[in-house]
Amino acid sequence: MSGYRLDKGGYIDRNTPLTFSFEGKQYSGFDGDTLASALIANGVSVIGRSFKYHRPRGILGAGLDEPNAIMQIESGPHTIPNLKATGIELYDGLQANPVNAWPSLAFDALSINSLLSRFIPAAFYYKTFMWPHWHVFEPTIRKAAGLGVSPNFPDPDRYEKRFVHCDVLVIGGGPAGLLAAQAASRSGARVIIVEYDPEWGGSLLNDPKEMDGTTSDTWIQKIVDELQEAPQTTVLNRTMAFGVYDHGLIGLVERVTDHLPVSSRSGVRQRIWKVRAAHTIIASGAMERPFVFPNNDRPGIMLASAGETYARRYAAAPGKRVVVVTNNDYGHYCAQSLQKMGVEIVAIADARLQKNTLLPGQIDLNNYPVFFGMTVTDTSGRHRVRSAQLHAIDDSGKAISGRSHNIDCDTILMSGGWSPVVHLFSQAGGKLVFDAKAQAFIPTSCEQNIVCVGAATGEYSLAKNLIDAAKAGSNAASKSGFKCGSMAVPSVEGSEASTVRAMWQVDVSAIGGSEQKAWVDFQNDVTASDVKLAIRENFQSVEHVKRYTTLGMASDQGKTSNVNGIGVMESVLKKPMAQVGTTKFRPPYDPTTIGAFAGRRVGENFAPLRALAAEQGHKEAGAKFDDYGGWKRPVCYLQGAETEAEAVQREAKAIRHGVGIFEASPLGKIEVFGPDAAKFLNRMYVNIMSTLKAGQCRYGIMLDENGVVFDDGVLGCLKENHFLVGTTSGKAAAIAEQFEEWLQCEWTDLDVVTDNVTSAWSIINVNGPNARDLLQKFDCTVDLSPDVFKHMQMREGRLAGVSCRIQRVSFSGELSYEVAIPWAYGASFWQALISEGAAFGVCPFGIEALMILRIEKGYLHVGSDTDGMTVPQDIGFGRILAKKKSDFVGRRSIMRPDAVRKNRRQFIGLENISDESPFRVGAHILPPGKVAPPAHTQGWVTSSVYSPNTGKPIALALVERGTERYGEEVQIWDLGESRRAKIVRPGVFDPEGRRLHV
Amino acid sequence: MKRYSALSLFREGLNDQKGWQAAWRNPEPKSEYEVIIIGGGGHGLATAYYLAKEHGITNVAVLEKAWIGGGNTGRNTTVIRSNYFFRESAEFYDFSVKLYEGLSKELNYNIMFSQRGMWNIAQDRHGLEMLRRAANAMGLNGVPAEFHTETEVRRRIPLLNDAPRFPILAGLLQSRGGTARHDAVAWGYARGADARGIDIIQNCEVTGFDIKNGQIQGVKTSKGNIKAKKVALAVAGHTSVLAELAGFRLPIISYALQACVSEPVKPVLDTVVMAMGTGVYISQSDKGELVFGGGIDHYPSYAQRGNLPVMEHTAAGIVDMFPQFSRMRFLRQWAGIVDVMYDSTPVVGKSPIDGMYLNCGWGTGGFKAIPAGGFCFAHTIAQDEPHHLVTPFNLKRFETGALIDEATGAGIAH
Amino acid sequence: MLQINCPYCGPRSEVEFRCGGESHIKRPGPPEDVSDAEWSEYLFFRKNPKGIHFERWLHRFGCGRWFNIARDTVSHEVLHEYAIDMPAPTIIEKTK
């Protein structure tokens, strides 16, 4: 218990106390706290256990770089695993729990791993657990892995997305970002500025300055007010840029309600913004690096900047006796700042020699001892650091034996230098170089219109950064065509860039220290010795080290560890940092909610169903609906207590004895016009279509260029040079698109226009022996009498005063009219058919009954009775092919050896000679006899039903050499069970087709 | 080669882990090899290993442009399965699963093959029929597979949404399928090959070929010219680039295949699920991350970058099938460059150049094929004649039309 | 996510388009004069370059028109848009 609340200061609202719980215990904090600051203010030191060794861990950082403070927030439907306490705004009633400790943080059973650590170094699992078998060990390993717990309930929240365009996007609301946004915004450009934090100001919140004679707080407020008032500018706090994608697309995620108490949340929880930005300015600042020394992971050891942030922003002192360890000037500033706030500084260890510092004279060396040329080489303490051991270090960074101090403390603040936040820049394809002065990877050029400003460039002089930021803002706006006036840049008290001594790892070899406890990656428990082990085993590429040790692969994605890891590699490989290089930066910058990516595409919206024209009528008739290719269509119409199967049988029987109606609106309808229309259709169909006369219809099939049967349907000729292409329901859009592709890209000489009118016309199919009688009840200008309107003909006219197109075509084998009328009239036409049809006992029927009727007739259903291997010869189109001389899509492909081989699977019928129940579609066909896998399959059942009109099960199939084998017995094999069948011609009902012509 | 075991780990523990050898050496290339394998991914390294082990050919170099295992081997969703429709595919991929089953012990390297089962879930009437057809094909091909009803699917995968947009109608379980640690496969083969004397040469980019009278003589590299009478390509998405250097073209298009993982959580999903209606492809890694297969960006690409549209689609599918994962978070997304052939079936065999061999076209399914791909490719190189398991995976099929297209037969692509 | 400049509608996002693959491929014919090998080249074999690719795109959820672009398959930079019936422009690749 060492952190505490300072009496004054901070951006917290002391008038609004909040209560929250951590590990079941109640605490209080203030509005404006983060969970992390509130825990520190309450003196909580141990907030988690490490991933592998279950070492007690405290808070290390104050931002998204935090590796240790991983929380399970809330419970039940609102729970979220793995949130970083440093990014959670405190709200009243918040419940937080640690993620990797059992039974409790104070006593964690798996902390035994810590004692075994020498036997389980990085990648140890590749070397063991092979005998007797991995499966023996895996469950235990899995249980030990993972951090939080997945939610167990559907997400109660909503998410949404926005797609916006802007001229300038500024990422980061610190001083550089704000000024860049202001410069761009004043030109009138469309500007968006985003900041992860709820507060604007970035580094100025930790380190207030006098700016233009006023406080930085006032300066920030003025700019934010101005930006908010600018009509073309969008100001988004609590918003993180998570990814930079191609062509200036940046993904943002806005946290809309996460900071509110669960009970007062409403509306959208998070919103993803897809921003297409002409120019992007990244002002994402820099992150401090920890030191890699033995036992650098004890609770109470924290980044120096985090210590300052907690004290300054949240009035939460990180500890009572603070040692600062640094290799740059910031450690000193931080110590001064803390001391001013009343925090006791016990000592500073600065790895540099005093003469190498640019340290300002204002450092009063009498305030606290400053040990130049020394650094921390070990620590003690169990649940909180209790002391720091300091050693002098030589020029190579090696601790010198004998010259040491032990200092009692409860807090060690580390300032190991700064790494610009280059993640987004690098995602955008920007190049990084290693800068010796900054001792960091800094951004250089990028092919996309993206620049970095502020500390993200590796430059830490605020005065200079402000000038550059204003310039960047103006540049971006003027490149987008806006006029920029000159920008006044505020004057700030200057601070010279500090020198940094590279200290990737404290070399403790001379003093008998152990690298096995010098952590590089805190969350994944990767130590300096792990990195060195990887290199010894020749995992020398930075990507190999990452993958072998898991360095940088935790939920912080290595924000505090990657550069130190590269530094450790440098020292072993004797290769400069630049050559070691970084691993790839991948989106998202910080983990991003899956539900937010899904947005509103959930539930029914995942794949919206299209409704039929007469949907209401179907409902009233008792329809049971299902999804057929994205259309919500009646399976059947249930009467009384009927099952689906019973209804389907009843309907299929009724059609053959009376009249039925079926809505066929999804059938594709593509009009093809123009002088070359017939020529074009000849090239699209396997059949000859140019001979079709006005008023005639023809059944045809289309292939893809690879020769595979792609679709079938009825082509109608409305008049010369004007055709109506009928497609199957699922293929309408695809075929319309293909027509255009051929016309626009290949046959540009053809004078043809196509128009997909599928959704302009609804179709009701009137089907059955009494179909004509029923239709004749309507006031229709089309003469339906059988001698003038024959099978496979079409007519245009008016029905009840509305234009109609009637095709006398049949998929049932009965007298059948497909009546198309404008979509808006489909519902009333259906109703009229129901009422007029009452006298005929009209039977509304669904898709499954239609399938029975067509299977009884042996009519092919493309996609069921054909697959991606079927060529026209397989389905009885050999004769038609022989007649056609000209080229068509796919023709050359069906001349290839595989298309003309003798043992192709052909479309045939099957008669069940075993029993009375239908075969299962998907059953395979083999010769009679014992089946001993691996066995050659001869084909499969493609359609199968019980036929109510012949009183037996019937099936269609694709079988090798099928048409040569009529009468032959085969075996139907389904999931290990066998039945017998005879190969027959497809079509068992009215094989002569008499009923079509009545 | 120092053997790995619990005992050696214990001994090294007492020795501060200081005694481990390099898993493979860093040799400089010799001026000539009997065989040069281009590409230090899973297929290239496995080929090298089997050349040495099965054929006694050890004068072999594996040339890797960057770091071994850095291409698709280290970028996939680690699923291993053999649920294939065609006899040709089933035999090959089932052989691959069998090799995987013994691989940790064979290589003395724990690749963590976790046979947690692989489910295909049918979500519409047609999908159900296709799934049954596939289940029967597997049965007849001698590949164990179980066909289960909705009730049983839900009992085994209780996390499934009660009311997804597309209903859950049935499931096909291949219980021997599962996942493995992808990097370990590359490293294990590398270590095994190196121990048998094969030179693995990283940071060595091939810049050209030396071809005389239609016969390969050697390769030009960033580390100088190297002679070999046999040169084998195993470079996945970059095959077209090398083929162009050698003067021929292939029926390949390279696409970026997107994938992503969530943050790690405690065990929640103990199997691999592929839902055919929503395109969801999900498993949980040993580390606890949920691993999601995304899909490809449908334009040619050599950029290993993440893209948004596929992620949005993937997320929507996840939330539809597993609504409780909505509040979890994506940790990382990336892409691999896959070499896609029209029928999504590979080519393993001879190229138009004498002495040059091809192992390519694995598309989105190369990882599961690594052991069998390497085994058969090694045979093909050693014998100058395709192994019988890969004879159908030839270039000739594009002329004859005898494509092996799993998607057309079973509705499940590779 | 790519942004593609439709010559007829202006710049739009990737999701509005469909890529039709390599452009300028001549369809051989008549069928009886084409060998299996030639047909196979036409159907399946592609340049698939790592670099500038001339390809055709359809503005599917827009004007419905096809057009050509020259695009770098590594950076995804679109260097040129041109009508579907225009020949491929000469583009000097940038030195990377």
Side-chain angles (χ1 to χ4, degrees):
Chain A
M1 301 278 275
S2 295
Y4 60 97
R5 186 75 76 181
L6 295 165
D7 294 336
K8 54 183 196 313
Y11 293 79
I12 49 169
D13 178 1
R14 290 174 200 258
N15 296 320
T16 313
L18 307 170
T19 58
F20 69 100
S21 75
F22 174 64
E23 214 187 7
K25 207 176 147 196
Q26 297 293 314
Y27 296 96
S28 66
F30 294 113
D31 194 22
D33 262 325
T34 63
L35 175 58
S37 70
L39 286 168
I40 287 172
N42 279 284
V44 178
S45 292
V46 180
I47 46 67
R49 289 274 177 165
S50 72
F51 186 70
K52 186 169 161 190
Y53 303 123
H54 291 251
R55 304 249 304 180
R57 289 281 166 82
I59 292 164
L60 182 81
L64 293 180
D65 49 351
E66 173 60 34
N68 292 335
I70 306 299
M71 300 287 162
Q72 182 94 25
I73 296 299
E74 305 301 337
S75 54
H78 289 276
T79 196
I80 306 170
N82 302 353
L83 290 183
K84 299 173 178 81
T86 50
I88 301 168
E89 291 177 59
L90 197 68
Y91 54 80
D92 202 41
L94 182 145
Q95 291 174 28
N97 278 291
V99 295
N100 205 27
W102 184 88
S104 75
L105 270 182
F107 176 79
D108 179 345
L110 278 177
S111 59
I112 188 162
N113 285 0
S114 189
L115 301 175
L116 298 176
S117 64
R118 64 189 315 172
F119 304 110
I120 50 172
F124 74 99
Y125 30 76
Y126 299 126
K127 296 184 175 123
T128 182
F129 302 139
M130 288 172 271
W131 190 90
H133 202 281
W134 168 239
H135 292 164
V136 177
F137 304 95
E138 192 189 10
T140 315
I141 304 269
R142 278 183 177 264
K143 244 181 254 167
L147 293 169
V149 181
S150 160
N152 202 20
F153 299 89
D155 191 339
D157 278 311
R158 276 202 302 135
Y159 304 87
E160 69 175 27
K161 292 183 202 171
R162 282 198 192 158
F163 202 154
V164 293
H165 295 257
C166 71
D167 300 305
V168 184
L169 170 69
V170 180
I171 297 168
L178 286 170
L179 198 66
Q182 187 183 40
S185 172
R186 282 185 177 172
S187 74
R190 294 170 302 169
V191 176
I192 298 175
I193 177 165
V194 299
E195 166 58 48
Y196 177 84
D197 207 275
E199 300 287 339
W200 296 92
S203 62
L204 293 174
L205 296 172
N206 293 349
D207 186 13
K209 295 251 193 290
E210 202 181 286
M211 298 178 78
D212 274 350
T214 160
T215 64
S216 45
D217 286 353
T218 314
W219 181 79
I220 294 163
Q221 198 53 53
K222 259 174 66 187
I223 292 198
V224 174
D225 288 347
E226 179 186 328
L227 293 173
Q228 269 166 343
E229 278 159 30
Q232 303 286 347
T233 296
T234 307
V235 178
L236 295 169
N237 61 339
R238 294 194 175 96
T239 301
M240 176 181 76
F242 62 81
V244 180
Y245 299 92
D246 286 333
H247 299 177
L249 191 99
I250 286 101
L252 315 174
V253 60
E254 180 187 2
R255 308 184 309 283
V256 185
T257 62
D258 282 355
H259 60 292
L260 300 172
V262 172
S263 57
S264 47
R265 290 177 195 172
S266 65
V268 168
R269 177 182 163 222
Q270 294 185 350
R271 180 180 292 125
I272 280 192
W273 294 66
K274 292 183 272 184
V275 182
R276 186 75 75 176
H279 296 271
T280 299
I281 298 172
I282 297 177
S284 46
M287 281 175 179
E288 204 169 14
R289 298 189 292 255
F291 275 92
V292 180
F293 52 75
N295 293 302
N296 58 344
D297 69 328
R298 297 194 196 281
I301 303 180
M302 193 184 269
L303 293 173
S305 55
E308 192 186 10
T309 298
Y310 287 119
R312 176 75 62 186
R313 273 192 69 178
Y314 306 103
K320 297 198 175 70
R321 291 175 56 78
V322 175
V323 167
V324 176
V325 51
T326 187
N327 62 355
N328 67 95
D329 289 356
Y330 175 72
H332 297 274
Y333 295 127
C334 175
Q336 285 171 19
S337 164
L338 285 170
Q339 197 181 43
K340 270 184 219 153
M341 288 183 274
V343 179
E344 187 192 347
I345 305 296
V346 194
I348 295 183
D350 188 334
R352 302 169 299 175
L353 297 175
Q354 189 168 6
K355 63 180 165 66
N356 293 338
T357 66
L358 279 176
L359 265 192
Q362 70 260 37
I363 281 229
D364 181 352
L365 294 176
N366 296 323
N367 266 346
Y368 38 76
V370 178
F371 300 100
F372 286 103
M374 295 188 88
T375 198
V376 176
T377 51
D378 203 354
T379 67
S380 73
R382 206 169 120 71
H383 287 158
R384 179 86 191 187
V385 62
R386 291 175 52 175
S387 73
Q389 170 185 284
L390 268 50
H391 272 85
I393 47 174
D394 67 15
D395 288 349
S396 67
K398 195 181 247 183
I400 302 166
S401 169
R403 294 172 54 193
S404 66
H405 291 282
N406 262 304
I407 299 176
D408 288 347
C409 61
D410 63 13
T411 302
I412 299 175
L413 296 183
M414 305 180 282
S415 183
W418 295 80
S419 297
V421 177
V422 293
H423 303 62
L424 294 171
F425 180 78
S426 175
Q427 283 178 24
K431 305 262 180 311
L432 306 177
V433 293
F434 188 78
D435 183 78
K437 182 166 157 271
Q439 284 294 311
F441 289 95
I442 63 167
T444 57
S445 62
C446 182
E447 278 184 25
Q448 296 209 38
N449 293 327
I450 295 182
V451 294
C452 294
V453 298
T457 62
E459 169 62 56
Y460 303 116
S461 155
L462 180 58
K464 191 170 176 308
N465 280 340
L466 287 175
I467 295 168
D468 291 345
K471 227 183 267 169
S474 304
N475 274 350
S478 27
K479 279 187 198 152
S480 288
F482 294 87
K483 263 213 160 82
C484 298
S486 68
M487 271 287 295
V489 175
S491 60
V492 286
E493 45 202 33
S495 54
E496 278 306 305
S498 117
T499 57
V500 188
R501 173 172 184 179
M503 280 294 290
W504 308 116
Q505 187 205 346
V506 180
D507 183 346
V508 290
S509 54
I511 57 167
S514 168
E515 294 180 334
Q516 282 173 13
K517 293 209 160 83
W519 269 265
V520 182
D521 183 326
F522 292 86
Q523 194 182 125
N524 267 353
D525 264 346
V526 179
T527 65
S529 64
D530 288 330
V531 173
K532 291 180 182 176
L533 170 65
I535 292 170
R536 265 203 305 286
E537 295 190 83
N538 202 20
F539 291 84
Q540 301 199 347
S541 146
V542 67
E543 291 281 357
H544 276 158
V545 170
K546 165 183 150 184
R547 287 156 183 266
Y548 195 60
T549 64
T550 73
L551 172 80
M553 295 182 79
S555 73
D556 57 354
Q557 293 284 281
K559 292 188 178 67
T560 51
S561 61
N562 281 342
V563 179
N564 280 341
I566 295 164
V568 174
M569 291 181 66
E570 176 201 48
S571 65
V572 185
L573 291 170
K574 310 278 184 254
K575 236 186 186 178
M577 295 288 279
Q579 273 185 35
V580 176
T582 65
T583 55
K584 282 269 185 307
F585 293 90
R586 302 267 179 215
Y589 173 70
D590 188 64
T592 303
T593 309
I594 291 174
F597 278 91
R600 300 296 298 277
R601 268 191 73 188
V602 291
E604 287 186 353
N605 288 340
F606 177 73
L609 272 173
R610 285 178 287 182
L612 296 180
E615 179 172 73
Q616 191 54 34
H618 302 307
K619 277 185 191 158
E620 285 164 14
K624 180 187 173 188
F625 290 98
D626 203 349
D627 175 357
Y628 290 90
W631 288 92
K632 185 181 167 195
R633 306 183 70 172
V635 178
C636 60
Y637 298 79
L638 295 171
Q639 291 183 357
E642 249 179 359
T643 64
E644 177 185 321
E646 287 162 357
V648 171
Q649 291 284 316
R650 171 182 53 73
E651 290 168 10
K653 213 165 170 173
I655 311 313
R656 299 224 186 274
H657 293 96
V659 60
I661 53 174
F662 171 82
E663 180 166 0
S665 301
L667 281 176
K669 312 160 198 84
I670 302 164
E671 293 192 33
V672 178
F673 317 81
D676 295 320
K679 196 173 178 184
F680 170 65
L681 291 168
N682 262 0
R683 294 185 189 178
M684 294 309 304
Y685 278 96
V686 169
N687 316 63
I688 301 169
M689 291 304 190
S690 50
T691 52
L692 210 56
K693 299 277 179 296
Q696 286 186 337
C697 294
R698 186 164 295 159
Y699 172 76
I701 59 169
M702 283 184 246
L703 311 184
D704 66 17
E705 188 74 317
N706 189 35
V708 170
V709 176
F710 183 70
D711 199 39
D712 67 347
V714 169
L715 175 70
C717 180
L718 289 157
K719 52 180 184 281
E720 200 190 347
N721 300 333
H722 188 182
F723 297 86
L724 181 64
V725 170
T727 77
T728 56
S729 306
K731 290 277 169 63
I735 288 174
E737 203 168 295
Q738 277 196 6
F739 280 3
E740 280 301 312
E741 184 166 6
W742 285 107
L743 287 168
Q744 290 185 36
C745 303
E746 187 67 35
W747 299 317
T748 50
D749 55 320
L750 293 187
D751 190 355
V752 177
V753 171
T754 74
D755 190 7
N756 182 358
V757 298
T758 301
S759 55
W761 297 86
S762 69
I763 296 179
I764 311 292
N765 173 218
V766 185
N767 205 324
N770 297 335
R772 188 182 297 117
D773 299 340
L774 172 53
L775 271 181
Q776 275 169 343
K777 294 277 170 198
F778 286 82
D779 171 21
C780 184
T781 60
V782 174
D783 183 353
L784 299 174
S785 40
D787 41 342
V788 295
F789 189 1
K790 297 192 167 115
H791 180 54
M792 293 309 275
Q793 292 192 333
M794 79 173 295
R795 299 286 181 268
E796 287 184 281
R798 299 188 84 75
L799 185 137
V802 178
S803 48
C804 69
R805 287 170 172 177
I806 305 178
Q807 292 189 330
R808 187 177 163 188
V809 294
S810 181
F811 203 33
S812 65
E814 300 296 330
L815 173 65
S816 158
Y817 298 93
E818 285 183 354
V819 184
I821 60 168
W823 192 274
Y825 294 96
S828 52
F829 183 39
W830 175 271
Q831 288 305 343
L833 284 166
I834 291 276
S835 41
E836 291 292 341
F840 300 89
V842 69
C843 174
F845 65 101
I847 289 202
E848 297 306 317
L850 184 63
M851 286 296 135
I852 290 183
L853 297 172
R854 69 102 192 157
I855 295 167
E856 286 180 336
K857 287 295 295 177
Y859 292 153
L860 170 102
H861 183 234
V862 170
S864 294
D865 302 307
T866 68
D867 56 32
M869 297 168 274
T870 309
V871 296
Q873 296 95 314
D874 302 339
I875 54 169
F877 268 69
R879 278 220 321 264
I880 287 170
L881 283 172
K883 264 199 274 176
K884 186 163 175 179
K885 300 288 170 239
S886 60
D887 193 8
F888 54 85
V889 172
R891 167 146 228 171
R892 183 59 189 79
S893 288
I894 58 171
M895 295 159 62
R896 291 177 301 191
D898 190 66
V900 297
R901 68 183 153 85
K902 293 281 175 255
N903 60 341
R904 291 197 62 89
R905 286 180 291 268
Q906 292 164 326
F907 177 62
I908 48 93
L910 290 175
E911 189 183 318
N912 185 340
I913 52 175
S914 277
D915 53 32
E916 290 302 304
S917 73
F919 299 129
R920 302 301 291 258
V921 176
H924 281 235
I925 297 165
L926 292 97
K930 196 175 171 317
V931 178
H936 174 75
T937 180
Q938 295 189 335
W940 35 80
V941 177
T942 56
S943 294
S944 176
V945 291
Y946 186 83
S947 157
N949 295 302
T950 60
K952 59 183 183 188
I954 55 171
L956 302 171
L958 287 166
V959 180
E960 277 177 10
R961 295 173 181 267
T963 55
E964 296 168 21
R965 296 166 62 189
Y966 292 131
E968 193 178 316
E969 186 183 325
V970 288
Q971 170 172 208
I972 308 298
W973 195 86
D974 182 46
L975 305 177
E977 286 177 12
S978 275
R979 285 193 278 172
R980 291 156 56 225
K982 204 165 77 182
I983 297 179
V984 295
R985 286 180 192 281
V988 291
F989 187 83
D990 183 26
E992 301 79 23
R994 287 200 194 100
R995 299 168 73 97
L996 286 169
H997 300 283
V998 294
Chain B
M1 183 175 88
K2 180 164 178 160
R3 285 194 63 80
Y4 294 158
S5 67
L7 184 65
S8 64
L9 205 57
F10 176 76
R11 285 206 188 114
E12 281 302 322
L14 301 175
N15 181 32
D16 284 345
Q17 308 288 342
K18 295 269 198 285
W20 296 113
Q21 309 167 317
W24 56 86
R25 298 159 296 130
N26 279 343
E28 283 304 309
K30 298 190 280 190
S31 62
E32 184 165 3
Y33 288 93
E34 188 176 343
V35 178
I36 288 174
I37 296 166
I38 303 172
H43 281 273
L45 294 164
T47 304
Y49 173 80
Y50 292 115
L51 268 176
K53 184 182 171 245
E54 301 293 328
H55 307 279
I57 301 174
T58 57
N59 187 15
V60 177
V62 178
L63 307 184
E64 166 54 49
K65 180 172 67 171
W67 38 284
I68 60 167
N72 295 344
T73 304
R75 291 172 201 282
N76 60 79
T77 50
T78 81
V79 175
I80 293 164
R81 61 187 173 92
S82 71
N83 43 340
Y84 285 96
F85 187 81
F86 288 91
R87 176 84 173 267
E88 297 91 327
S89 325
E91 281 184 345
F92 175 84
Y93 285 97
D94 205 47
F95 178 56
S96 207
V97 171
K98 282 187 186 125
L99 288 176
Y100 261 126
E101 282 171 334
L103 202 56
S104 290
K105 285 191 181 114
E106 163 157 9
L107 295 176
N108 179 233
Y109 206 93
N110 186 1
I111 60 150
M112 299 179 225
F113 181 22
S114 168
Q115 291 180 290
R116 16 200 329 105
M118 155 90 204
W119 286 90
N120 288 101
I121 293 181
Q123 295 193 280
D124 61 43
R125 287 166 191 249
H126 182 63
L128 176 65
E129 294 172 358
M130 292 297 272
L131 198 67
R132 198 172 191 102
R133 189 202 276 193
N136 280 318
M138 288 174 69
L140 291 173
N141 286 328
V143 177
E146 303 162 28
F147 191 82
H148 290 293
T149 60
E150 179 197 357
T151 318
E152 185 62 13
V153 172
R154 288 189 176 282
R155 194 181 70 77
R156 306 250 198 134
I157 317 169
L159 292 183
L160 284 168
N161 191 354
D162 293 338
R165 165 64 181 79
F166 301 107
I168 287 157
L169 298 178
L172 174 62
L173 170 66
Q174 194 204 352
S175 54
R176 287 162 60 223
T179 57
R181 176 85 187 101
H182 55 6
D183 291 328
V185 174
W187 300 339
Y189 274 123
R191 177 166 164 265
D194 177 88
R196 285 169 170 77
I198 283 165
D199 285 355
I200 295 166
I201 301 159
Q202 301 186 85
N203 301 308
C204 180
E205 181 172 4
V206 171
T207 55
F209 294 98
D210 181 7
I211 298 165
K212 281 206 187 83
N213 304 324
Q215 160 73 42
I216 190 87
Q217 309 294 326
V219 300
K220 298 166 188 164
T221 80
S222 56
K223 295 193 173 190
N225 295 347
I226 311 173
K227 284 186 200 158
K229 293 280 190 211
K230 289 184 173 183
V231 171
L233 258 54
V235 294
H238 282 73
T239 308
S240 298
V241 178
L242 286 177
E244 200 201 346
L245 289 176
F248 60 94
R249 273 216 242 167
L250 289 167
I252 288 178
I253 303 177
S254 296
Y255 293 106
L257 173 67
Q258 303 281 335
C260 50
V261 295
S262 76
E263 293 185 281
V265 285
K266 294 293 176 195
V268 60
L269 183 67
D270 63 359
T271 187
V272 184
V273 178
M274 182 199 248
M276 291 153 78
T278 30
V280 166
Y281 198 5
I282 181 176
S283 63
Q284 188 174 19
S285 74
D286 283 331
K287 221 187 144 204
E289 295 158 337
L290 296 172
V291 183
F292 306 106
I296 63 170
D297 290 327
H298 289 272
Y299 44 85
S301 175
Y302 285 86
Q304 295 170 325
R305 289 191 293 274
N307 195 6
L308 260 187
V310 170
M311 291 294 288
E312 294 177 278
H313 180 80
T314 304
I318 295 164
V319 174
D320 190 58
M321 297 297 290
F322 299 101
Q324 56 280 72
F325 294 158
S326 169
R327 292 176 88 76
M328 288 189 49
R329 303 188 299 167
F330 282 135
L331 173 62
R332 195 166 60 242
Q333 85 169 110
W334 67 91
I337 302 307
V338 294
D339 42 341
V340 176
M341 292 194 162
Y342 187 86
D343 58 357
S344 299
T345 286
V347 163
V348 181
K350 296 186 181 187
S351 81
I353 310 281
D354 283 347
M356 188 186 260
Y357 306 88
L358 295 173
N359 165 317
C360 59
W362 298 99
T364 60
F367 176 70
K368 64 176 84 74
I370 286 174
F375 189 95
C376 296
F377 198 35
H379 175 102
T380 306
I381 297 162
Q383 311 291 326
D384 194 35
E385 196 57 51
H387 185 276
H388 72 90
L389 284 177
V390 292
T391 311
F393 302 165
N394 55 44
L395 275 173
K396 200 75 189 163
R397 70 178 190 269
F398 295 100
E399 284 184 28
T400 62
L403 303 181
I404 306 169
D405 192 340
E406 284 292 324
T408 66
I412 306 164
H414 284 251
Chain C
M1 181 155 58
L2 306 185
Q3 187 174 47
I4 292 165
N5 196 12
C6 169
Y8 310 101
C9 306
R12 296 288 190 278
S13 271
E14 177 184 324
V15 290
E16 292 187 21
F17 297 87
R18 191 188 107 200
C19 178
E22 185 178 330
S23 202
H24 310 296
I25 296 172
K26 202 177 145 24
R27 184 172 192 258
E32 41 297 349
D33 295 349
V34 181
S35 71
D36 287 343
E38 282 171 283
W39 188 249
S40 159
E41 281 282 326
Y42 156 73
L43 270 185
F44 304 119
F45 285 68
R46 295 292 178 263
K47 287 184 186 142
N48 196 29
K50 186 177 186 176
I52 307 289
H53 190 229
F54 299 98
E55 59 196 18
R56 71 190 194 201
W57 286 72
L58 166 67
H59 194 189
R60 186 186 221 169
F61 302 113
C63 59
R65 294 182 71 172
W66 284 90
F67 56 92
N68 286 316
I69 66 173
R71 184 178 60 92
D72 187 311
T73 57
V74 182
S75 70
H76 292 172
E77 187 186 356
V78 179
L79 298 117
H80 207 65
E81 304 95 10
Y82 56 105
I84 192 70
D85 52 355
M86 296 283 286
T90 313
I91 291 174
I92 295 131
E93 283 206 48
K94 275 197 243 172
T95 43
K96 292 263 159 66

